[in-house]
Amino acid sequence: MDKKDYKVYTLLGDGEMPEGSNWEAALTAAHYKLDNLCAIVDKNSLQITAATADVCNTDPLDEKWKAFGWAVREIDGNDVEVLKSTLQDLPFEAGKPSVVIAHTTKGKGVSYMENVLKWHHGVPSADEYELAIKELDEALLAI
Amino acid sequence: MGIAEQNLVGVAAGLASCGKKVFATSPACFLTARALEQIKNDVAYSNNPVNVIGISAGVSYGALGSTHHSLHDYAALRAINNITVVAPADNWETEQAIELAAQTEEPIYLRFGKKPMPPLKDSTGETFAFGKGRVITEGDDVLIIACGETVYPALEAARLLKEENISATVVSMHTIKPLDTDLLAEKAGSCKAILTVEEHSIYGGLGEACASYLLQHGISKPFKIMGIPDEYTVTGSQGEILEHYGISTSGIATAAKELLR
Ligand SMILES: [Mg+2]
């Protein structure tokens, strides 16, 4: 409306993709050709109770977004460099909102947390916390 | 069903209309806000006997914040015709409410907390019915009417007050709608002051339901509604939030004494 040139980002979880309001918003964004809007779906394929595909399958997710009029890119969401370069390409297509389907690993970088459902909302013990911080610090140093 | 409350309630209503016994369960905050229209039209007004189960209600989710609190559900559902609104206070009430809901062919909203609650009293020989409040302890000075997880601190407050020679009646008003107005009128008539306690907004819940009935039936006593005030709710654990708003053993006892002053 104001023709301002900033971009708007919205971060979504794959577990909330069955929520209808997302798709209402997706329709509206495409209808108004909001190519300054970028949605990022954190697709770790897990949600609080089970694998997302077993709770309510939303695959193929890319085709759904395409059908709703969005320009889609799929990336390794745990690769920060790839994420950065992808976001530098916005908009992916002029006149369309963009969506990044970021394939991620829940608990990435902490050996005992990776892809383990309980860490959706588990609270680490003092020992577990120490180990997690140690592993993450080591990974950071190696970069 | 996934994270899709409107769909959950719509599907539940459809299944119920086909004769299935349906329990539609989701956190109370999302279920009764996001799917309010489906609860209103598909369940209540269409008279589909769905058991709508709101879990982790009130401020049970504590530090997850306002998005995860349900402080509106009594108010919203009380204004909808043809749905019973129930908030059990202990394991016995919870078990009874679930069994009764399963046998009852009408729209019901059951509101559960998250915290394990101690039994309010020995329930041997007691019968449970929707719309019939439960007298936990009796006294002449102050009437404390509570529901859900606030009944236990109310009972503890009654014990505290007893040490100061103030006697209290504590009622677990597990059914917020239809309200047990017979019990309310009887107990209100024989006390000196009335305190209501709920883990809900002070607007539109148990307290206002009681106040409305009493005022319209000529029963006027010093009266206070304890609940969450109309402000940005503080953040913290459930216990910390309730304590902040005086919904605790000492907070309830203090409020009772102020009313009797
Ligand atoms: Mg997920």
Side-chain angles (χ1 to χ4, degrees), chain B residues 185-203:
Chain B
E186 181 202 325
K187 297 299 174 193
S190 60
C191 70
K192 299 184 189 112
I194 303 160
L195 193 58
T196 67
V197 196
E198 62 202 295
E199 195 173 331
H200 183 274
S201 166
I202 53 170
Y203 296 159

Side-chain angles (χ1 to χ4, degrees), chain B residues 6-119:
Chain B
Q6 302 183 354
N7 192 29
L8 170 71
V9 177
V11 169
L15 288 170
S17 76
C18 296
K20 303 293 181 194
K21 212 172 267 308
V22 193
F23 285 79
T25 307
S26 181
C29 52
F30 308 126
L31 187 59
T32 62
R34 188 165 281 284
L36 186 60
E37 178 157 16
Q38 283 74 14
I39 294 172
K40 184 182 82 154
N41 291 338
D42 301 344
V43 176
Y45 292 174
S46 304
N47 197 29
N48 283 314
V50 175
N51 300 294
V52 180
I53 314 290
I55 59 168
S56 302
V59 296
S60 294
Y61 284 126
L64 292 182
S66 302
T67 54
H68 285 60
H69 297 164
S70 60
L71 302 173
H72 63 278
D73 45 348
Y74 300 153
L77 298 180
R78 275 182 67 224
I80 292 173
N81 173 245
N82 197 39
I83 186 161
T84 299
V85 179
V86 181
D90 65 2
N91 281 356
W92 182 79
E93 288 185 14
T94 301
E95 192 182 323
Q96 295 287 316
I98 293 171
E99 280 187 16
L100 191 54
Q103 293 159 16
T104 308
E105 291 288 306
E106 58 188 43
I108 294 167
Y109 173 60
L110 295 185
R111 188 214 221 221
F112 298 138
K114 189 151 89 76
K115 187 179 157 194
M117 299 306 292

Side-chain angles (χ1 to χ4, degrees), chain A residues 13-15 42-47 52 106 120:
Chain A
D14 53 355
D42 176 15
K43 194 174 193 301
N44 57 24
S45 301
L46 291 175
Q47 63 190 93
T52 300
K106 190 189 278 293
H120 178 89

Side-chain angles (χ1 to χ4, degrees), chain A residues 15 18-19 21 47 55-56, chain B residues 1-6 34:
Chain A
E19 193 81 84
S21 54
Q47 63 190 93
V55 175
C56 181
Chain B
M1 204 64 64
I3 302 175
E5 299 77 11
Q6 302 183 354
R34 188 165 281 284

